[in-house]
Amino acid sequence: MANRRDRRIEPSFDGPSRTGSSSGFSVREEDRVVPSNRKSPAKRKKSKARSSRRGSSRRGLFGLFGRLFYWCFVLAIWGGIAAAGIVVYYGAKMPAATTWSIPDRSPNIKIVSVDGQLIANRGMSGGEAVGLHEMSPYIPQAVIAIEDRRFYSHFGIDPIGLTRAMVTNVMGARFTQGGSTLTQQLAKNLFLKPDRTVERKVQEVLLALWLEQKHTKDQILEMYLNRVYFGSGAYGVEAASRRYFGKSARDVTLAEAALLAGLLKAPSRLSPARDPKAAEERAQLVLAAMKDEGMVSDKELARAMSAPATRAASYWTGSENYVADTVMEELPDLIGDVRSDIVVDTTVDLNLQKLAEDSIRRLIDEKGKKLDVSQGALVSIDNSGAVRAMVGGYDYSTSQFDRASEARRQPGSAFKPFVYMAALEAGRTPDSVRNDAPIKIGKWTPANFDGKYFGKVTLATALAKSLNSVAAQLTMEVGPDAVVEAAHRMGIQSDLQNNTSIALGTSEVTPLELTSAYVPFANGGYRPEIHFIRRVTTTEGKLLYANDGGSAPRVVRPEVVGMMNSMMTGTVEIGTARKAAFGWPSAGKTGTSQNSRDAWFVGYTANLTTGVWFGNDDGKPMKRVTGGALPAQAWHEFMMAAHKGVPVAPLPGAWKSSPPADTIVRSDPSGKLPPAMVPQADVGAQQDAAAQPRRAPRPARSVDGGGFGMPDDDEPTASINRPVPPGDVGGPLKKRQTSILDILSGG
């Protein structure tokens, strides 16, 4: 075709044309002229230039990508070499892999009540280890869904998750996601410090690979869940479940599991004890992730989403934690260092513990603001010395200071039983008579309530009515040293000032030791070892310690016990603690310190000895609160519940008064007082003094030593503005040879 285009066309004269033209000129079909498509040289040059540019453009684009790919490949090779070098470098600084081992989990100390109920877990973890198949199945599911959804498919490092996290962080221009797997997190928690360095990250990767080789996925997940931090001092799912929900990890619901899993991102910030709203919002994200992974149904999701938000106290709550703290203090002396998980069986009855806590809190809630009282404590001990309940304050979550075993306060008249016991041991009896009249010891005048005096009274009446002048007289008779010795013998451990003011309880003691010192009155005269711990075993059952009770020494004679119980029964029946009576034979003594700073009642039955204290940590006076008010009410509530269903038993000892009829009539015209409350004849000169007609009180006379005014401590309105005498009022006194007749007659 091209040849035809280029061939020259010439006319033919040989004959007529095929078309029958008569002109004699013809053109063959194949020689017909066709317009040429050939371009001019200029156009051909332009076309070639455009084609060349298009080819060059295509070749340049591919060349750019080719070069980019090439250099990226080169950089990747060198980057890999550099990364390998870094890994080798930092890996070489680690110990040999043959020496690697999983460090022991911090030992947990499980503290249980006398009937096996959990009181608390102590130790670094704050909770016992729970097997993966023992805990609620929602917990591992929630953690995997939000933290590492490819946990069961990766080899310790998740390249997909790491890449996603890098892209997200680069796009957001800030660090918002982490690419660490659960295995990497476990490696970091087990072996490494929380430093953000290349070295730590490299070591984390190496350790994660090692963990994956040495342990199964379930083992890794179980170790992680039992060691990871969940905020608010809780390590491991068991501690966190107890901390936030008050239940075991075995009983956690779907909504609760989602909350726990959500805490792992920022345990302290998201803790429901700090920010319940943030914790709940995070839990909703966890639930959505579980739904995306097909772990929960629509019905389960809806139910979990509608669950109320968790509200947790800012600290461990519950008065049983005061007991747990005391156990932790005593434990090292019994078994030494704790090197493995152990179980501590205590003497505490958790039901009684709750009763005690409820009583203290209810009274403060109802009357605290009105009476200016903010704290209370209660201790209950059985006859063997086993502590059955101990409440150290109004709320453990707001104050962990244990007022029952650590706070030393003035006991006031609650100390008087030791004064009377010393007098009985010196030969007096409940029927012994003393003249209740103003008495002055140097500059100190121990005044009765509202300045009222009763003249001649028996010691039984004086103790029941808490007459200060009689207590001071008895202290002068037997000497302060005898009173201090009697108190220490009964169980008081604090230092006591051996001066006359000790008669009114000016030396400070703790509620625990004061209550323990009343136990011999309840058990017949024996002083047992006060203890909280019955037995300590390992989790496998190996016995590490057992309290066999031992033999309690006798510290007071049976006849003295009988007389003391006879007298202190009057405190509950007709004296200052009438609100404490609950139907059982009971005895005790109230006490109120200067200006109602402290209010006490320590009482007992043949079953339990219980002491109650109310006051304020800063020593601020309460509003006319006496030992016969709030303390007696709390004691009544607790003891009535504690003795429900228990057979009634009499107090130990048998002492009965046998007064002459005319003495009863003369001293108690109404005839309503029990015989032990009525003045009776004492031995020797006391018989003559008792027979004399009653006379008006004489002005106070100086008996001994320096000092200043002291109000009646069971009726704080008496001499309410007088200061408390210091501990050294009168100084150490020696027993003087003062006759009973001298004191009674004032001569």
Short mmCIF file of all heavy atoms in Angstrom, two decimals, residues 105 125 127-128 224-230 234-241 260:
data_model
loop_
_atom_site.label_atom_id
_atom_site.label_comp_id
_atom_site.label_asym_id
_atom_site.label_seq_id
_atom_site.Cartn_x
_atom_site.Cartn_y
_atom_site.Cartn_z
N ARG A 105 6.43 -15.20 93.54
CA ARG A 105 5.43 -14.18 93.81
C ARG A 105 5.52 -13.77 95.27
O ARG A 105 5.78 -14.60 96.15
CB ARG A 105 4.04 -14.74 93.52
CG ARG A 105 2.89 -13.77 93.69
CD ARG A 105 1.60 -14.47 93.26
NE ARG A 105 0.45 -13.61 93.41
CZ ARG A 105 -0.27 -13.53 94.51
NH1 ARG A 105 0.06 -14.25 95.55
NH2 ARG A 105 -1.32 -12.74 94.57
N SER A 125 1.17 -8.34 97.58
CA SER A 125 0.11 -8.52 96.59
C SER A 125 -1.26 -8.17 97.15
O SER A 125 -2.11 -7.65 96.46
CB SER A 125 0.10 -9.97 96.09
OG SER A 125 -0.18 -10.86 97.16
N GLY A 127 -3.46 -10.27 98.06
CA GLY A 127 -4.45 -11.27 97.68
C GLY A 127 -3.77 -12.58 97.32
O GLY A 127 -2.64 -12.59 96.82
N GLU A 128 -4.44 -13.67 97.53
CA GLU A 128 -3.88 -14.97 97.21
C GLU A 128 -3.92 -15.20 95.71
O GLU A 128 -4.67 -14.56 94.97
CB GLU A 128 -4.67 -16.07 97.93
CG GLU A 128 -6.12 -16.16 97.49
CD GLU A 128 -6.88 -17.24 98.23
OE1 GLU A 128 -6.25 -18.24 98.60
OE2 GLU A 128 -8.09 -17.09 98.43
N TYR A 224 0.21 -13.48 84.76
CA TYR A 224 -0.06 -12.05 84.54
C TYR A 224 -1.21 -11.56 85.43
O TYR A 224 -1.08 -10.54 86.12
CB TYR A 224 -0.39 -11.83 83.07
CG TYR A 224 -0.78 -10.40 82.73
CD1 TYR A 224 0.19 -9.44 82.51
CD2 TYR A 224 -2.12 -10.02 82.65
CE1 TYR A 224 -0.16 -8.13 82.20
CE2 TYR A 224 -2.48 -8.73 82.34
CZ TYR A 224 -1.49 -7.78 82.13
OH TYR A 224 -1.84 -6.49 81.84
N LEU A 225 -2.31 -12.28 85.44
CA LEU A 225 -3.49 -11.84 86.18
C LEU A 225 -3.27 -11.87 87.69
O LEU A 225 -3.93 -11.13 88.42
CB LEU A 225 -4.69 -12.72 85.81
CG LEU A 225 -5.20 -12.56 84.37
CD1 LEU A 225 -6.30 -13.59 84.08
CD2 LEU A 225 -5.72 -11.15 84.13
N ASN A 226 -2.36 -12.68 88.17
CA ASN A 226 -2.10 -12.77 89.60
C ASN A 226 -1.02 -11.81 90.09
O ASN A 226 -0.77 -11.73 91.29
CB ASN A 226 -1.72 -14.20 89.99
CG ASN A 226 -2.92 -15.10 90.16
OD1 ASN A 226 -3.78 -14.86 91.00
ND2 ASN A 226 -3.02 -16.14 89.34
N ARG A 227 -0.41 -11.08 89.15
CA ARG A 227 0.68 -10.19 89.54
C ARG A 227 0.49 -8.74 89.11
O ARG A 227 1.13 -7.85 89.65
CB ARG A 227 2.00 -10.70 88.98
CG ARG A 227 2.42 -12.06 89.53
CD ARG A 227 3.65 -12.58 88.80
NE ARG A 227 3.98 -13.94 89.18
CZ ARG A 227 5.08 -14.30 89.84
NH1 ARG A 227 5.95 -13.39 90.21
NH2 ARG A 227 5.30 -15.56 90.14
N VAL A 228 -0.34 -8.50 88.12
CA VAL A 228 -0.46 -7.15 87.57
C VAL A 228 -1.14 -6.22 88.57
O VAL A 228 -1.95 -6.64 89.41
CB VAL A 228 -1.24 -7.19 86.24
CG1 VAL A 228 -2.71 -7.53 86.47
CG2 VAL A 228 -1.10 -5.88 85.48
N TYR A 229 -0.80 -4.94 88.48
CA TYR A 229 -1.32 -3.93 89.40
C TYR A 229 -2.67 -3.40 88.91
O TYR A 229 -2.81 -3.01 87.75
CB TYR A 229 -0.32 -2.78 89.52
CG TYR A 229 -0.71 -1.73 90.53
CD1 TYR A 229 -0.99 -2.07 91.86
CD2 TYR A 229 -0.80 -0.38 90.18
CE1 TYR A 229 -1.35 -1.11 92.78
CE2 TYR A 229 -1.14 0.59 91.10
CZ TYR A 229 -1.42 0.22 92.40
OH TYR A 229 -1.77 1.17 93.33
N PHE A 230 -3.64 -3.36 89.82
CA PHE A 230 -4.99 -2.90 89.48
C PHE A 230 -5.35 -1.59 90.18
O PHE A 230 -6.51 -1.20 90.19
CB PHE A 230 -6.03 -3.96 89.85
CG PHE A 230 -6.07 -5.13 88.90
CD1 PHE A 230 -5.33 -6.27 89.16
CD2 PHE A 230 -6.85 -5.10 87.75
CE1 PHE A 230 -5.37 -7.36 88.30
CE2 PHE A 230 -6.89 -6.18 86.89
CZ PHE A 230 -6.15 -7.31 87.16
N ALA A 234 -3.76 -2.76 95.08
CA ALA A 234 -4.17 -4.14 94.83
C ALA A 234 -3.37 -4.75 93.68
O ALA A 234 -3.41 -4.26 92.55
CB ALA A 234 -5.67 -4.20 94.50
N TYR A 235 -2.64 -5.82 93.99
CA TYR A 235 -1.89 -6.56 92.98
C TYR A 235 -2.56 -7.91 92.78
O TYR A 235 -2.73 -8.68 93.72
CB TYR A 235 -0.45 -6.77 93.42
CG TYR A 235 0.39 -5.51 93.40
CD1 TYR A 235 0.39 -4.64 94.47
CD2 TYR A 235 1.18 -5.19 92.30
CE1 TYR A 235 1.15 -3.48 94.46
CE2 TYR A 235 1.95 -4.04 92.27
CZ TYR A 235 1.93 -3.19 93.36
OH TYR A 235 2.68 -2.04 93.33
N GLY A 236 -2.93 -8.21 91.55
CA GLY A 236 -3.59 -9.47 91.24
C GLY A 236 -5.10 -9.35 91.31
O GLY A 236 -5.66 -8.48 91.99
N VAL A 237 -5.78 -10.24 90.58
CA VAL A 237 -7.24 -10.14 90.46
C VAL A 237 -7.95 -10.41 91.78
O VAL A 237 -9.00 -9.83 92.04
CB VAL A 237 -7.77 -11.11 89.38
CG1 VAL A 237 -7.37 -10.66 88.01
CG2 VAL A 237 -7.29 -12.53 89.63
N GLU A 238 -7.39 -11.27 92.62
CA GLU A 238 -8.06 -11.55 93.89
C GLU A 238 -8.05 -10.34 94.80
O GLU A 238 -9.07 -9.97 95.37
CB GLU A 238 -7.39 -12.74 94.58
CG GLU A 238 -8.00 -13.12 95.93
CD GLU A 238 -9.41 -13.70 95.82
OE1 GLU A 238 -9.85 -14.00 94.69
OE2 GLU A 238 -10.06 -13.85 96.87
N ALA A 239 -6.90 -9.70 94.91
CA ALA A 239 -6.81 -8.50 95.74
C ALA A 239 -7.70 -7.39 95.18
O ALA A 239 -8.38 -6.69 95.94
CB ALA A 239 -5.37 -8.02 95.81
N ALA A 240 -7.71 -7.22 93.86
CA ALA A 240 -8.53 -6.17 93.25
C ALA A 240 -10.02 -6.45 93.45
O ALA A 240 -10.80 -5.53 93.72
CB ALA A 240 -8.21 -6.06 91.76
N SER A 241 -10.42 -7.70 93.34
CA SER A 241 -11.83 -8.05 93.52
C SER A 241 -12.26 -7.78 94.96
O SER A 241 -13.35 -7.26 95.21
CB SER A 241 -12.05 -9.52 93.18
OG SER A 241 -11.73 -9.78 91.83
N LEU A 260 -12.35 -4.29 85.89
CA LEU A 260 -10.98 -4.68 86.24
C LEU A 260 -10.06 -4.61 85.03
O LEU A 260 -8.94 -4.09 85.11
CB LEU A 260 -10.97 -6.09 86.82
CG LEU A 260 -11.62 -6.29 88.20
CD1 LEU A 260 -11.55 -7.76 88.60
CD2 LEU A 260 -10.94 -5.42 89.24
#
